[in-house]
Amino acid sequence: MRRVELAVVGAGPAGLSAAIEAARHGVEVVVFDENQRPGGQLFKQIHKFFGSKEHRARERGFRIGEDLLKEARELNVTVELETVVSGIYDGLELVVTKNDRVEHLRANAVVIATGASENMIPFPGWTLPGVIGAGAAQTMCNLHGVKPGKNILMVGSGNVGVVVGLQLIQAGCSLEAVIDASPRVGGYGVHAAKIARTGVPFHLRHTIKEVYGKDRVEGAVIVEVDEKWQPVPGSEKDLKVDTVCMAVGLSPMYQLSKIAGCETVEDPSRGGVVPICDEYGATTVPGIYVAGDVSGIEEASSAMIGGKIAGASAALKQGYLAQDVFEERYAAFRKSLEQLRQGQFGHGMKGKKITHTQEGIEVSESLLCRGFVDESEILRFPGIPSEEIRMRGLTPVIECTQNIPCDPCREACVKGCIRIGESITDLPSLSKEVQCTGCGMCVAACPGQAIFLLNQNYSDGEALVVLPYEFQPLPEAGDEGTACDRSGNPVGKAKVLKVQKAKTMDGTAVLSMIVPRELAMTARFFRPSGSEERRA
Amino acid sequence: MRIKNHPILGEFDKGRTVAFSYNGAPMTGCEGEPIAAALRANDVIIHRYTSKEHKPRGIFCAIGRCTDCVMIVNGKPNVRTCVTPLEEGMTVETQYGLLTQEEAEAKGAVL
Ligand SMILES: Cc1cc2nc3c(=O)[nH]c(=O)nc-3n(C[C@H](O)[C@H](O)[C@H](O)COP(=O)(O)OP(=O)(O)OC[C@H]3O[C@@H](n4cnc5c(N)ncnc54)[C@H](O)[C@@H]3O)c2cc1C
Ligand code: SF4
Ligand code: SF4
Ligand code: FES
């Protein structure tokens, strides 16, 4: 029987990070994944990540995936693809199936990093072709380059829903609406705002009543729900869509850990049933560790740190790592993880209603109910310069209003224009004395696309608004079009002054447009003329 | 349905164009992409009909887990088209229960 020092199940961010960490200390590692390509969810994630530099913030998921694979290769980690681990039995014996061939192998330690599966809610018509999971939508458009549909309804406003929603628009699909039964947007406000300003309506407190069509989706009926989650009669809306995309949550894939004999517990704050584990990822079965979504739904950055912790633990256990070196590394990983878990979306915050930010500022209701900060609310946030400053010349306008673990804006500005307090979740604010040169780096770096530059006194009666732009076709200098507000409503004429693209901006174009001065704090999106009006 | 000039990913690095057949009709797709992606690009989204209730099914997970996308490929039923790479000259057929349409009709199944 083949024998390995460490077997890792799952080649997602958690599994690969565990493998890399263990291999770095000399452990011989084999990673198994049932897919044809490694990387788990990472290669579908084409947006820039949040967090800090150490969490690889402002890098896109698929690039992080490429780097993990390279690192694993350099450390001689073996990755066996199209290989399913179907069982783990006494004495850490793994049952591994590849091409219908079953192999048994023995491992000294196992890291289970099987990720999560997508939830589904049944409704009339839910099995019709055209009802797909958000993961499927991402796979089709970001891996295979094929649109999953033309007119799409997104069900679920959590981070998966809003992120995949944006990716569908980037792929050229028309996102008709985002609905959620909850009264508040579940994902980061900055993610929601990116799609709201393209004109996508958010219908909160709405659920899907039915999807209809002969043999394939031809439309969907949504309905409002009241406080008791009961449908409100007469509130139905019929949406002409050919695709319904489900993003209603993830459940940890704990099944393999259960087969292995690990004790499990139902923990709603982690997304469902999870294997019981300690802070080192150790389960109740000696030698078996868990990391990533299987141990509780979070996101890719925390999955990577969880993986490192499990990998280091497995190395320690086999004597490849001295206790004191382990302690030191563990403390650093822990600190990094704790940073990501702070803030209003952090650990234990799920479902809690937040009325004020850490700074004591009243939160934007509009952001929670409609997906964008209303103009009447924006002025109270610390990233918004006073009218006097806006009239003086170019200044950043930072529309980042929730306490999320993120700071690339501060990193991006070499001039020191942008400040974030002690905690990484503090709201970004503006330094008073410093001069913005208009380089656009902060605009491109912000994973929330929440930073704009503004010169309210560009010329007589005109203002200059600079915004991030990640759509095709990319407008060019001189193009005329429509300025839209934060909800995507057309508010006036706009003319493109220039479009900056640079390697360091990593795919985010920085578009400067000239608008009538009175729209300086209103216009936040550019719609080229000729592109269809979403909301007539 | 194919994405051209993606704002982040640019052009997709796809295989050469190959011919295959779908329920006897000629179609083209990119070599090596999942059969389901090639079908989607040709606006085919019904992959099979369930055996008892005869309900249509199409892609749901796109990663080989749900089996909603199985079809008869080169005569072999239950092939998960979302994870099976397209090859030149493949025959791809809608699956009725476990059968092709012809077989199902021959057995007198209500279609
Ligand atoms: C549709 C979708 C969108 C998401 N979007 C984001 C996002 O935008 N940002 C973000 O940070 N997070 C996102 N997530 C969350 C995502 O799950 C985490 O970011 C991260 O991928 C978790 O890493 P992981 O390594 O735990 O799991 P995964 O990345 O899911 O990797 C697990 C791997 O294990 C394999 N596997 C499972 N069981 C077995 C077995 N028995 N044998 C062999 N292999 C097996 C799986 O095939 C998979 O490749 C999203 C998740 C989904 C489903
Ligand atoms: S545009 Fe450049 S100088 Fe101005 S705030 Fe942003 S990064 Fe700093
Ligand atoms: S403004 Fe700063 S803290 Fe807010 S999302 Fe952008 S980079 Fe992150
Ligand atoms: S779509 Fe789920 S297995 Fe193919």
Side-chain angles (χ1 to χ4, degrees):
Chain A
M1 195 186 300
R2 180 147 68 120
R3 191 163 189 123
V4 295
E5 291 182 333
L6 174 63
V8 177
V9 190
L16 287 176
S17 301
I20 290 167
E21 176 66 20
R24 177 167 291 144
H25 304 299
V27 181
E28 168 223 1
V29 190
V30 184
V31 185
F32 299 100
D33 199 293
E34 62 192 3
N35 287 307
Q36 278 152 334
R37 29 208 301 193
Q41 310 299 327
L42 268 183
F43 282 94
K44 302 169 202 170
Q45 295 176 8
I46 60 169
H47 58 285
K48 295 180 179 174
F49 277 27
F50 292 84
S52 225
K53 198 165 182 183
E54 64 179 89
H55 309 114
R56 314 199 52 167
R58 78 195 251 198
E59 289 187 59
R60 297 187 191 272
F62 66 99
R63 298 244 160 73
I64 300 177
E66 283 162 8
D67 287 354
L68 286 180
L69 284 180
K70 185 162 160 264
E71 233 179 306
R73 230 176 285 126
E74 282 164 5
L75 289 163
N76 290 322
V77 170
T78 312
V79 182
E80 298 192 13
L81 299 173
E82 293 182 82
T83 308
V84 183
V85 178
S86 51
I88 301 174
Y89 299 99
D90 310 334
L92 305 185
E93 188 179 315
L94 275 71
V95 184
V96 172
T97 313
K98 179 166 193 167
N99 297 335
D100 301 329
R101 272 225 338 267
V102 182
E103 189 197 341
H104 291 246
L105 63 94
R106 198 171 276 280
N108 296 349
V110 178
V111 174
I112 299 180
T114 44
S117 59
E118 292 185 82
N119 298 345
M120 186 61 201
I121 46 168
F123 44 80
W126 71 287
T127 58
L128 272 180
V131 178
I132 59 173
Q138 249 187 343
T139 305
M140 292 298 278
C141 49
N142 299 343
L143 289 185
H144 305 316
V146 176
K147 294 178 211 173
K150 291 193 181 91
N151 302 88
I152 302 180
L153 168 65
M154 179 63 71
V155 182
S157 70
N159 273 331
V160 172
V162 286
V163 167
V164 176
L166 177 72
Q167 293 172 356
L168 287 165
I169 303 172
Q170 291 178 322
C173 309
S174 173
L175 186 63
E176 300 299 322
V178 176
I179 68 166
D180 201 306
S182 149
R184 299 183 291 270
V185 170
Y188 286 2
V190 286
H191 273 319
K194 287 181 210 173
I195 55 182
R197 63 178 172 253
T198 72
V200 176
F202 279 72
H203 299 296
L204 279 298
R205 273 195 209 288
H206 273 74
T207 189
I208 201 154
K209 188 177 172 197
E210 73 165 317
V211 168
Y212 59 86
K214 186 189 175 296
D215 276 11
R216 62 194 282 174
V217 176
E218 288 166 22
V221 179
I222 60 170
V223 64
E224 198 177 325
V225 290
D226 61 19
E227 273 88 45
K228 297 193 191 88
W229 305 85
Q230 293 308 306
V232 178
S235 66
E236 290 85 357
K237 287 186 199 67
D238 189 348
L239 303 177
K240 291 282 170 249
V241 292
D242 63 4
T243 304
V244 175
C245 191
M246 304 298 298
V248 292
L250 303 171
S251 297
M253 293 232 291
Y254 66 91
Q255 292 79 359
L256 185 62
S257 68
K258 187 141 190 150
I259 294 174
C262 304
E263 279 174 47
T264 56
V265 61
E266 165 112 40
D267 183 349
S269 73
R270 291 170 190 251
V273 178
V274 287
I276 294 174
C277 67
D278 63 15
E279 65 267 39
Y280 305 107
T283 65
T284 54
V285 175
I288 299 187
Y289 302 84
V290 287
D293 278 354
V294 66
S295 60
I297 305 298
E298 278 183 83
E299 31 78 66
S301 315
S302 42
M304 287 188 271
I305 305 173
K308 287 183 198 166
I309 292 176
S313 302
L316 172 75
K317 174 122 179 126
Q318 301 185 48
Y320 280 101
L321 201 56
Q323 186 73 34
D324 57 332
V325 181
F326 173 80
E327 301 282 347
E328 207 176 292
R329 287 188 80 74
Y330 173 73
F333 295 149
R334 195 83 231 159
K335 189 159 162 254
S336 188
L337 195 56
E338 234 91 273
Q339 276 199 332
L340 287 176
R341 288 177 173 169
Q342 289 168 18
Q344 67 179 82
F345 292 88
H347 251 200
M349 297 304 285
K350 208 172 172 193
K352 286 205 181 133
K353 185 167 179 175
I354 289 165
T355 57
H356 291 80
T357 69
Q358 274 161 214
E359 294 79 0
I361 304 167
E362 202 187 323
V363 302
S364 159
E365 266 306 304
S366 168
L367 184 60
L368 295 172
C369 305
R370 299 186 289 167
F372 60 93
V373 182
D374 193 76
E375 194 175 330
S376 64
E377 303 166 313
I378 196 75
L379 293 175
R380 60 176 183 255
F381 293 95
I384 311 299
S386 66
E387 172 139 33
E388 192 202 324
I389 294 176
R390 301 196 307 261
M391 286 299 285
R392 218 186 284 153
L394 206 59
T395 171
V397 175
I398 308 180
E399 305 200 349
C400 176
T401 67
Q402 293 176 324
N403 298 115
I404 54 175
C406 186
D407 69 3
C409 46
R410 172 177 57 189
E411 287 275 325
C413 185
V414 289
K415 286 282 181 182
C417 298
I418 301 171
R419 288 195 309 204
I420 287 182
E422 282 285 289
S423 161
I424 170 183
T425 57
D426 286 351
L427 295 182
S429 61
L430 302 172
S431 307
K432 295 254 151 34
E433 314 74 34
V434 209
Q435 268 290 303
C436 167
T437 62
C439 71
M441 288 312 295
C442 58
V443 178
C446 169
Q449 297 184 10
I451 306 185
F452 305 84
L453 305 179
L454 181 60
N455 178 355
Q456 202 159 321
N457 197 14
Y458 176 71
S459 75
D460 215 16
E462 287 174 323
L464 176 73
V465 180
V466 181
L467 47 98
Y469 201 86
E470 287 192 355
F471 301 104
Q472 280 289 353
L474 191 60
E476 286 172 18
D479 283 4
E480 299 199 0
T482 310
C484 299
D485 67 8
R486 295 172 186 82
S487 71
N489 273 332
V491 287
K493 282 207 165 85
K495 187 171 177 183
V496 178
L497 182 69
K498 64 174 174 182
V499 179
Q500 286 165 265
K501 286 205 83 174
K503 192 145 190 271
T504 44
M505 293 179 175
D506 190 12
T508 311
V510 174
L511 184 150
S512 305
M513 66 176 180
I514 297 165
V515 298
R517 177 176 296 161
E518 64 272 18
L519 295 181
M521 285 303 287
T522 311
R524 290 295 177 267
F525 190 64
F526 176 79
R527 189 180 295 153
S529 48
S531 68
E532 39 105 44
E533 297 261 293
R534 193 184 292 279
R535 285 183 176 184
Chain B
M1 296 304 284
R2 292 202 184 270
I3 303 166
K4 293 200 186 68
N5 201 9
H6 190 285
I8 308 302
L9 300 166
E11 296 297 335
F12 284 85
D13 188 14
K14 303 289 277 194
R16 69 186 173 111
T17 304
V18 294
F20 67 101
S21 81
Y22 164 70
N23 289 342
M27 264 184 195
T28 58
C30 302
E31 187 173 47
E33 73 180 347
I35 297 168
L39 291 173
R40 176 69 265 198
N42 284 284
D43 203 31
V44 173
I45 73 166
I46 299 164
H47 290 225
R48 68 178 176 104
Y49 288 87
T50 56
S51 54
K52 286 212 189 77
E53 296 195 31
H54 198 68
K55 291 278 183 2
R57 291 284 187 276
I59 294 180
F60 181 71
C61 74
I63 52 169
R65 283 198 188 137
C66 73
T67 68
D68 272 354
C69 68
V70 299
M71 298 179 84
I72 300 176
V73 176
N74 292 339
K76 188 175 156 209
N78 283 338
V79 175
R80 290 172 305 166
T81 53
C82 69
V83 289
T84 305
L86 181 71
E87 292 165 15
E88 170 120 61
M90 266 182 169
T91 62
V92 179
E93 292 166 278
T94 312
Q95 182 168 321
Y96 293 78
L98 277 177
L99 311 173
T100 62
Q101 181 167 15
E102 239 171 71
E103 291 163 342
E105 275 166 359
K107 278 184 73 178
V110 193
L111 292 180

PDB file of all heavy atoms in Angstrom, chain A residues 343-366:
ATOM      1  N   GLY A 343     -14.818  43.488  12.181  1.00  0.00           N
ATOM      2  CA  GLY A 343     -15.730  44.339  11.439  1.00  0.00           C
ATOM      3  C   GLY A 343     -17.143  43.818  11.420  1.00  0.00           C
ATOM      4  O   GLY A 343     -17.463  42.792  12.013  1.00  0.00           O
ATOM      5  N   GLN A 344     -17.987  44.534  10.705  1.00  0.00           N
ATOM      6  CA  GLN A 344     -19.409  44.258  10.810  1.00  0.00           C
ATOM      7  C   GLN A 344     -19.848  43.013  10.065  1.00  0.00           C
ATOM      8  O   GLN A 344     -20.969  42.561  10.235  1.00  0.00           O
ATOM      9  CB  GLN A 344     -20.205  45.469  10.345  1.00  0.00           C
ATOM     10  CG  GLN A 344     -20.089  45.784   8.871  1.00  0.00           C
ATOM     11  CD  GLN A 344     -20.930  46.989   8.535  1.00  0.00           C
ATOM     12  OE1 GLN A 344     -20.531  48.125   8.723  1.00  0.00           O
ATOM     13  NE2 GLN A 344     -22.138  46.730   8.042  1.00  0.00           N
ATOM     14  N   PHE A 345     -18.958  42.426   9.216  1.00  0.00           N
ATOM     15  CA  PHE A 345     -19.301  41.171   8.562  1.00  0.00           C
ATOM     16  C   PHE A 345     -18.526  40.016   9.196  1.00  0.00           C
ATOM     17  O   PHE A 345     -18.536  38.907   8.709  1.00  0.00           O
ATOM     18  CB  PHE A 345     -18.978  41.234   7.069  1.00  0.00           C
ATOM     19  CG  PHE A 345     -19.852  42.192   6.314  1.00  0.00           C
ATOM     20  CD1 PHE A 345     -19.504  43.524   6.207  1.00  0.00           C
ATOM     21  CD2 PHE A 345     -21.031  41.760   5.732  1.00  0.00           C
ATOM     22  CE1 PHE A 345     -20.311  44.413   5.521  1.00  0.00           C
ATOM     23  CE2 PHE A 345     -21.835  42.633   5.048  1.00  0.00           C
ATOM     24  CZ  PHE A 345     -21.484  43.973   4.934  1.00  0.00           C
ATOM     25  N   GLY A 346     -17.804  40.337  10.283  1.00  0.00           N
ATOM     26  CA  GLY A 346     -16.909  39.357  10.877  1.00  0.00           C
ATOM     27  C   GLY A 346     -17.619  38.253  11.622  1.00  0.00           C
ATOM     28  O   GLY A 346     -18.839  38.100  11.571  1.00  0.00           O
ATOM     29  N   HIS A 347     -16.809  37.475  12.315  1.00  0.00           N
ATOM     30  CA  HIS A 347     -17.307  36.338  13.072  1.00  0.00           C
ATOM     31  C   HIS A 347     -18.399  36.720  14.049  1.00  0.00           C
ATOM     32  O   HIS A 347     -18.270  37.687  14.774  1.00  0.00           O
ATOM     33  CB  HIS A 347     -16.139  35.733  13.860  1.00  0.00           C
ATOM     34  CG  HIS A 347     -15.740  34.424  13.295  1.00  0.00           C
ATOM     35  ND1 HIS A 347     -15.037  33.494  13.984  1.00  0.00           N
ATOM     36  CD2 HIS A 347     -15.971  33.889  12.082  1.00  0.00           C
ATOM     37  CE1 HIS A 347     -14.847  32.444  13.214  1.00  0.00           C
ATOM     38  NE2 HIS A 347     -15.390  32.667  12.062  1.00  0.00           N
ATOM     39  N   GLY A 348     -19.468  35.949  14.071  1.00  0.00           N
ATOM     40  CA  GLY A 348     -20.516  36.159  15.058  1.00  0.00           C
ATOM     41  C   GLY A 348     -21.408  37.347  14.750  1.00  0.00           C
ATOM     42  O   GLY A 348     -22.279  37.703  15.541  1.00  0.00           O
ATOM     43  N   MET A 349     -21.224  37.970  13.582  1.00  0.00           N
ATOM     44  CA  MET A 349     -22.029  39.152  13.271  1.00  0.00           C
ATOM     45  C   MET A 349     -23.226  38.803  12.393  1.00  0.00           C
ATOM     46  O   MET A 349     -24.086  39.636  12.157  1.00  0.00           O
ATOM     47  CB  MET A 349     -21.176  40.197  12.540  1.00  0.00           C
ATOM     48  CG  MET A 349     -20.015  40.738  13.332  1.00  0.00           C
ATOM     49  SD  MET A 349     -20.532  41.445  14.904  1.00  0.00           S
ATOM     50  CE  MET A 349     -21.259  42.987  14.344  1.00  0.00           C
ATOM     51  N   LYS A 350     -23.262  37.568  11.896  1.00  0.00           N
ATOM     52  CA  LYS A 350     -24.299  37.184  10.954  1.00  0.00           C
ATOM     53  C   LYS A 350     -25.702  37.454  11.518  1.00  0.00           C
ATOM     54  O   LYS A 350     -26.009  37.055  12.634  1.00  0.00           O
ATOM     55  CB  LYS A 350     -24.147  35.708  10.616  1.00  0.00           C
ATOM     56  CG  LYS A 350     -24.671  35.376   9.257  1.00  0.00           C
ATOM     57  CD  LYS A 350     -24.354  33.960   8.858  1.00  0.00           C
ATOM     58  CE  LYS A 350     -25.090  33.671   7.564  1.00  0.00           C
ATOM     59  NZ  LYS A 350     -25.125  32.280   7.236  1.00  0.00           N
ATOM     60  N   GLY A 351     -26.513  38.135  10.738  1.00  0.00           N
ATOM     61  CA  GLY A 351     -27.892  38.375  11.136  1.00  0.00           C
ATOM     62  C   GLY A 351     -28.077  39.534  12.102  1.00  0.00           C
ATOM     63  O   GLY A 351     -29.192  39.925  12.396  1.00  0.00           O
ATOM     64  N   LYS A 352     -26.966  40.088  12.603  1.00  0.00           N
ATOM     65  CA  LYS A 352     -27.102  41.197  13.554  1.00  0.00           C
ATOM     66  C   LYS A 352     -27.407  42.490  12.821  1.00  0.00           C
ATOM     67  O   LYS A 352     -26.795  42.791  11.806  1.00  0.00           O
ATOM     68  CB  LYS A 352     -25.809  41.370  14.353  1.00  0.00           C
ATOM     69  CG  LYS A 352     -25.651  40.295  15.384  1.00  0.00           C
ATOM     70  CD  LYS A 352     -24.770  40.747  16.532  1.00  0.00           C
ATOM     71  CE  LYS A 352     -24.639  39.602  17.522  1.00  0.00           C
ATOM     72  NZ  LYS A 352     -23.287  39.364  17.955  1.00  0.00           N
ATOM     73  N   LYS A 353     -28.313  43.244  13.373  1.00  0.00           N
ATOM     74  CA  LYS A 353     -28.634  44.524  12.748  1.00  0.00           C
ATOM     75  C   LYS A 353     -27.673  45.583  13.260  1.00  0.00           C
ATOM     76  O   LYS A 353     -27.499  45.763  14.465  1.00  0.00           O
ATOM     77  CB  LYS A 353     -30.081  44.916  13.046  1.00  0.00           C
ATOM     78  CG  LYS A 353     -30.436  46.172  12.306  1.00  0.00           C
ATOM     79  CD  LYS A 353     -31.893  46.488  12.280  1.00  0.00           C
ATOM     80  CE  LYS A 353     -31.960  47.808  11.499  1.00  0.00           C
ATOM     81  NZ  LYS A 353     -33.146  48.337  11.187  1.00  0.00           N
ATOM     82  N   ILE A 354     -27.060  46.270  12.332  1.00  0.00           N
ATOM     83  CA  ILE A 354     -26.088  47.285  12.729  1.00  0.00           C
ATOM     84  C   ILE A 354     -26.666  48.659  12.437  1.00  0.00           C
ATOM     85  O   ILE A 354     -27.188  48.900  11.345  1.00  0.00           O
ATOM     86  CB  ILE A 354     -24.780  47.055  11.971  1.00  0.00           C
ATOM     87  CG1 ILE A 354     -24.139  45.796  12.551  1.00  0.00           C
ATOM     88  CG2 ILE A 354     -23.819  48.230  12.106  1.00  0.00           C
ATOM     89  CD1 ILE A 354     -23.070  45.227  11.751  1.00  0.00           C
ATOM     90  N   THR A 355     -26.612  49.532  13.408  1.00  0.00           N
ATOM     91  CA  THR A 355     -27.175  50.860  13.180  1.00  0.00           C
ATOM     92  C   THR A 355     -26.088  51.914  13.003  1.00  0.00           C
ATOM     93  O   THR A 355     -26.300  52.926  12.350  1.00  0.00           O
ATOM     94  CB  THR A 355     -28.074  51.288  14.363  1.00  0.00           C
ATOM     95  OG1 THR A 355     -27.287  51.227  15.560  1.00  0.00           O
ATOM     96  CG2 THR A 355     -29.279  50.373  14.494  1.00  0.00           C
ATOM     97  N   HIS A 356     -24.902  51.665  13.619  1.00  0.00           N
ATOM     98  CA  HIS A 356     -23.827  52.652  13.535  1.00  0.00           C
ATOM     99  C   HIS A 356     -22.505  51.970  13.214  1.00  0.00           C
ATOM    100  O   HIS A 356     -22.286  50.821  13.580  1.00  0.00           O
ATOM    101  CB  HIS A 356     -23.701  53.416  14.853  1.00  0.00           C
ATOM    102  CG  HIS A 356     -24.860  54.324  15.101  1.00  0.00           C
ATOM    103  ND1 HIS A 356     -26.067  53.863  15.592  1.00  0.00           N
ATOM    104  CD2 HIS A 356     -25.013  55.659  14.894  1.00  0.00           C
ATOM    105  CE1 HIS A 356     -26.914  54.884  15.683  1.00  0.00           C
ATOM    106  NE2 HIS A 356     -26.306  55.983  15.262  1.00  0.00           N
ATOM    107  N   THR A 357     -21.618  52.686  12.554  1.00  0.00           N
ATOM    108  CA  THR A 357     -20.294  52.141  12.271  1.00  0.00           C
ATOM    109  C   THR A 357     -19.460  52.197  13.550  1.00  0.00           C
ATOM    110  O   THR A 357     -19.879  52.779  14.555  1.00  0.00           O
ATOM    111  CB  THR A 357     -19.557  52.969  11.197  1.00  0.00           C
ATOM    112  OG1 THR A 357     -19.225  54.244  11.765  1.00  0.00           O
ATOM    113  CG2 THR A 357     -20.411  53.168   9.960  1.00  0.00           C
ATOM    114  N   GLN A 358     -18.270  51.588  13.485  1.00  0.00           N
ATOM    115  CA  GLN A 358     -17.345  51.638  14.626  1.00  0.00           C
ATOM    116  C   GLN A 358     -17.083  53.075  15.064  1.00  0.00           C
ATOM    117  O   GLN A 358     -16.832  53.346  16.216  1.00  0.00           O
ATOM    118  CB  GLN A 358     -15.991  51.060  14.206  1.00  0.00           C
ATOM    119  CG  GLN A 358     -15.884  49.570  14.336  1.00  0.00           C
ATOM    120  CD  GLN A 358     -14.743  48.994  13.492  1.00  0.00           C
ATOM    121  OE1 GLN A 358     -14.876  47.902  12.984  1.00  0.00           O
ATOM    122  NE2 GLN A 358     -13.644  49.717  13.330  1.00  0.00           N
ATOM    123  N   GLU A 359     -17.136  53.968  14.091  1.00  0.00           N
ATOM    124  CA  GLU A 359     -16.844  55.371  14.360  1.00  0.00           C
ATOM    125  C   GLU A 359     -18.056  56.099  14.926  1.00  0.00           C
ATOM    126  O   GLU A 359     -17.994  57.298  15.215  1.00  0.00           O
ATOM    127  CB  GLU A 359     -16.399  56.076  13.074  1.00  0.00           C
ATOM    128  CG  GLU A 359     -15.074  55.597  12.488  1.00  0.00           C
ATOM    129  CD  GLU A 359     -15.184  54.289  11.691  1.00  0.00           C
ATOM    130  OE1 GLU A 359     -16.293  53.731  11.576  1.00  0.00           O
ATOM    131  OE2 GLU A 359     -14.146  53.824  11.190  1.00  0.00           O
ATOM    132  N   GLY A 360     -19.178  55.380  15.046  1.00  0.00           N
ATOM    133  CA  GLY A 360     -20.385  55.998  15.590  1.00  0.00           C
ATOM    134  C   GLY A 360     -21.213  56.729  14.554  1.00  0.00           C
ATOM    135  O   GLY A 360     -22.087  57.529  14.892  1.00  0.00           O
ATOM    136  N   ILE A 361     -20.950  56.466  13.267  1.00  0.00           N
ATOM    137  CA  ILE A 361     -21.720  57.121  12.215  1.00  0.00           C
ATOM    138  C   ILE A 361     -22.916  56.241  11.859  1.00  0.00           C
ATOM    139  O   ILE A 361     -22.782  55.025  11.732  1.00  0.00           O
ATOM    140  CB  ILE A 361     -20.852  57.327  10.954  1.00  0.00           C
ATOM    141  CG1 ILE A 361     -19.588  58.113  11.316  1.00  0.00           C
ATOM    142  CG2 ILE A 361     -21.638  58.013   9.851  1.00  0.00           C
ATOM    143  CD1 ILE A 361     -18.532  58.096  10.248  1.00  0.00           C
ATOM    144  N   GLU A 362     -24.046  56.879  11.698  1.00  0.00           N
ATOM    145  CA  GLU A 362     -25.245  56.128  11.341  1.00  0.00           C
ATOM    146  C   GLU A 362     -25.044  55.458   9.973  1.00  0.00           C
ATOM    147  O   GLU A 362     -24.571  56.104   9.037  1.00  0.00           O
ATOM    148  CB  GLU A 362     -26.420  57.106  11.269  1.00  0.00           C
ATOM    149  CG  GLU A 362     -27.766  56.473  11.439  1.00  0.00           C
ATOM    150  CD  GLU A 362     -28.868  57.499  11.192  1.00  0.00           C
ATOM    151  OE1 GLU A 362     -28.670  58.676  11.585  1.00  0.00           O
ATOM    152  OE2 GLU A 362     -29.882  57.125  10.597  1.00  0.00           O
ATOM    153  N   VAL A 363     -25.383  54.176   9.867  1.00  0.00           N
ATOM    154  CA  VAL A 363     -25.140  53.477   8.604  1.00  0.00           C
ATOM    155  C   VAL A 363     -26.110  53.956   7.526  1.00  0.00           C
ATOM    156  O   VAL A 363     -27.131  54.566   7.833  1.00  0.00           O
ATOM    157  CB  VAL A 363     -25.261  51.938   8.755  1.00  0.00           C
ATOM    158  CG1 VAL A 363     -24.292  51.409   9.788  1.00  0.00           C
ATOM    159  CG2 VAL A 363     -26.697  51.534   9.094  1.00  0.00           C
ATOM    160  N   SER A 364     -25.766  53.662   6.284  1.00  0.00           N
ATOM    161  CA  SER A 364     -26.644  54.031   5.181  1.00  0.00           C
ATOM    162  C   SER A 364     -27.753  52.999   5.049  1.00  0.00           C
ATOM    163  O   SER A 364     -27.506  51.831   4.769  1.00  0.00           O
ATOM    164  CB  SER A 364     -25.848  54.096   3.878  1.00  0.00           C
ATOM    165  OG  SER A 364     -26.710  53.971   2.773  1.00  0.00           O
ATOM    166  N   GLU A 365     -28.984  53.431   5.261  1.00  0.00           N
ATOM    167  CA  GLU A 365     -30.148  52.543   5.108  1.00  0.00           C
ATOM    168  C   GLU A 365     -30.328  52.167   3.645  1.00  0.00           C
ATOM    169  O   GLU A 365     -30.678  51.036   3.307  1.00  0.00           O
ATOM    170  CB  GLU A 365     -31.426  53.255   5.581  1.00  0.00           C
ATOM    171  CG  GLU A 365     -31.822  52.992   7.021  1.00  0.00           C
ATOM    172  CD  GLU A 365     -31.953  51.518   7.361  1.00  0.00           C
ATOM    173  OE1 GLU A 365     -32.733  50.818   6.681  1.00  0.00           O
ATOM    174  OE2 GLU A 365     -31.263  51.077   8.296  1.00  0.00           O
ATOM    175  N   SER A 366     -30.087  53.150   2.794  1.00  0.00           N
ATOM    176  CA  SER A 366     -30.286  52.935   1.366  1.00  0.00           C
ATOM    177  C   SER A 366     -29.362  51.835   0.849  1.00  0.00           C
ATOM    178  O   SER A 366     -29.751  51.006   0.020  1.00  0.00           O
ATOM    179  CB  SER A 366     -30.033  54.247   0.627  1.00  0.00           C
ATOM    180  OG  SER A 366     -29.954  54.030  -0.749  1.00  0.00           O
TER     181      SER A 366
END
